């Protein structure tokens, strides 16, 4: 039985809301996030996404011209906030270890809190096509922020770190994607374990509890809405 | 132009070999490994795999009854050798840090050396179905070996490690999958960086160069063929 009564873009829908989200666009993204991560991207048509939202396919196309536009929007969601925070942290006078801790903490938290484990989509072969070049560039930008902070911590630690360790903090944060994929959710301690591990692999020898307190103050001040 | 002249299972093929591999089974796995990681699992039919090998689809079915059997065989390839090494390491009298270093080193090396980045398939939603329960169990077994070794190192380090860090070494090793996916290949220093990071996040304070020497001797003795 189809109770959907949709009169096209802009018209109010009379059926009950099927998805989370304040706007039709958010509802489409929520449905697609679930379907892409549970049934697979290639296995999910825009028709199936529209059905899951309870709108016509034509209405979906009003918001997204093609399926890869939905994927792109979902991917951008996974990095937009940490990228904004990284830019704010760059411009603040605060010791580098606290800035790196704050970025890793915030990023782990948002990757864990997201309703769908969208980071699992990073490994899709589709992402290596030209269509996603802009997304890859933005993700590389975020990676660059991590590596710049990490290299500075490594330099301060005076060579006590591991060769090549500047690449590790970004990758440590993305571990929660694999944890969610394998275990259903990342362990609650990940928010603490991962930022701490990021500092220790760089050879930073300081007090981690004090650093966490400092990172918390930074986040209270700079965290994106 | 189709030069394939295949007369069914068991008969010699007259056309030139198109794939790497000593046996038809290995050739099928090589072709599927490439197609699954570059075009996607859902986007690849057994017909396309057979074409890439230069055999008929019927001949492919002689070796693999269905596409998911090919995927399962590829996945098992990614963990079989490290699992074998982990079992051998369990039964040897040698300090735990050297055993953990040896396992991580060997595993990073084999994940980097594999022709296709098959670990990228771990995040496929298909893997969470019943069909892959046996594979998931074997991978959990490998994870268990890492966590047992890591917990022992953590205990020896006397609480200098990070809470929850026992989960990190296994995940650190799998980082090379994401590195290969993003950067085409993992950095050459990963073979050293990742085992060293695995020890440091556990709070192990010893000399990493000496440990590497010890792990090398262990591998010379125990490494699976």
């Amino acid at each position: 039985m189809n109770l959907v009564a949709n009169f096209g873009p802009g018209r109010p829908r009379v059926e009950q809301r099927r998805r989370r989200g304040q706007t039709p666009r958010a509802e489409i993204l929520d449905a697609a996030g679930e379907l892409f991560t549970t049934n697979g991207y290639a296995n999910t048509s825009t028709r199936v996404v529209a059905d899951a939202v309870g709108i016509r396919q034509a209405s979906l196309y009003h918001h997204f011209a093609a399926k890869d536009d939905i994927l792109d929007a979902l991917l951008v969601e996974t990095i937009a906030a940490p990228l904004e925070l990284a830019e704010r942290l760059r411009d603040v006078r605060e010791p580098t270890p606290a800035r790196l801790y704050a970025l890793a903490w915030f990023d782990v938290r948002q990757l864990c809190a997201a309703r769908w484990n969208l980071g699992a989509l990073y490994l899709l072969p589709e992402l290596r096509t030209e269509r996603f070049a802009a997304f890859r560039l933005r993700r590389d930008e975020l990676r660059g922020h991590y590596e710049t902070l990490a290299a500075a911590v490594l330099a301060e630690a005076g060579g006590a770190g591991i060769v090549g360790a500047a690449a590790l903090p970004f990758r440590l944060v993305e571990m929660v994607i694999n944890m969610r994929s394998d275990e259903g959710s990342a362990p609650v301690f990940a928010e603490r374990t991962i930022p701490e591990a990021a500092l220790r692999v760089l050879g930073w020898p300081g007090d981690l509890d004090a650093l966490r307190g400092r990172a918390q103050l930074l986040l209270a001040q700079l965290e994106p809405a």
Side-chain angles (χ1 to χ4, degrees), chain A:
Chain A
M1 197 169 58
N2 188 358
L3 293 171
V4 175
N6 186 290
F7 303 95
R11 311 274 185 90
R13 290 180 298 145
V14 300
E15 85 283 17
Q16 214 177 352
R17 277 266 169 69
R18 297 193 190 174
R19 307 294 317 185
R20 292 200 194 169
Q22 296 290 319
T23 62
R25 187 176 188 279
E27 291 178 304
I28 293 166
L29 289 175
D30 181 54
E34 175 168 22
L35 290 162
F36 293 173
T37 54
T38 58
N39 294 347
Y41 178 66
N43 294 325
T44 304
S45 63
T46 51
R47 175 60 182 264
V48 170
V49 175
D51 285 350
V53 179
I55 59 172
R56 290 201 208 139
Q57 204 173 0
S59 310
L60 183 146
Y61 286 133
H62 177 68
H63 299 282
F64 296 99
K67 191 171 77 163
D68 53 16
D69 295 324
I70 306 178
L71 177 58
D72 188 58
L74 286 170
L75 292 169
V76 167
E77 260 186 20
T78 65
I79 55 164
L83 199 47
E84 194 176 334
L85 176 64
E87 281 158 11
R88 293 179 191 178
L89 285 167
R90 188 189 43 201
D91 303 327
V92 90
R93 276 172 194 276
E94 188 72 23
T96 323
R99 290 188 282 153
L100 178 59
Y101 194 113
L103 179 59
W105 186 5
F106 173 81
D107 206 356
V108 165
R109 205 166 51 196
Q110 67 99 19
L111 287 171
C112 291
R115 195 155 173 240
W116 310 113
N117 191 21
L118 300 172
L121 305 170
Y122 293 158
L123 292 178
L124 284 175
E126 286 84 350
L127 257 72
R128 293 197 285 278
T129 61
E130 187 53 32
R131 170 64 186 85
F132 295 97
F135 168 73
R136 289 200 307 274
L137 218 61
R138 289 195 72 188
R139 186 156 164 265
D140 284 347
E141 220 178 294
L142 178 60
R143 181 147 65 100
H145 283 289
Y146 274 99
E147 292 184 3
T148 302
L149 289 168
V153 174
L154 212 49
E156 283 169 33
I162 298 154
V163 175
L168 297 177
F170 176 72
R171 301 289 173 189
L172 277 160
V173 167
E174 294 199 337
M175 266 185 193
V176 297
I177 295 163
N178 297 61
M179 289 171 166
R180 282 188 72 170
S181 176
D182 287 335
E183 299 158 48
S185 63
V188 285
F189 52 75
E191 274 185 33
R192 182 181 284 263
T193 308
I194 287 179
E196 292 188 358
L199 271 296
R200 285 298 188 242
V201 295
L202 300 172
W204 188 78
D207 181 77
L208 288 166
D209 287 329
L211 190 65
R212 188 175 180 83
R214 199 140 185 179
Q216 191 159 32
L217 292 174
L218 262 176
L219 286 178
Q221 181 194 335
L222 300 175
E223 191 166 339

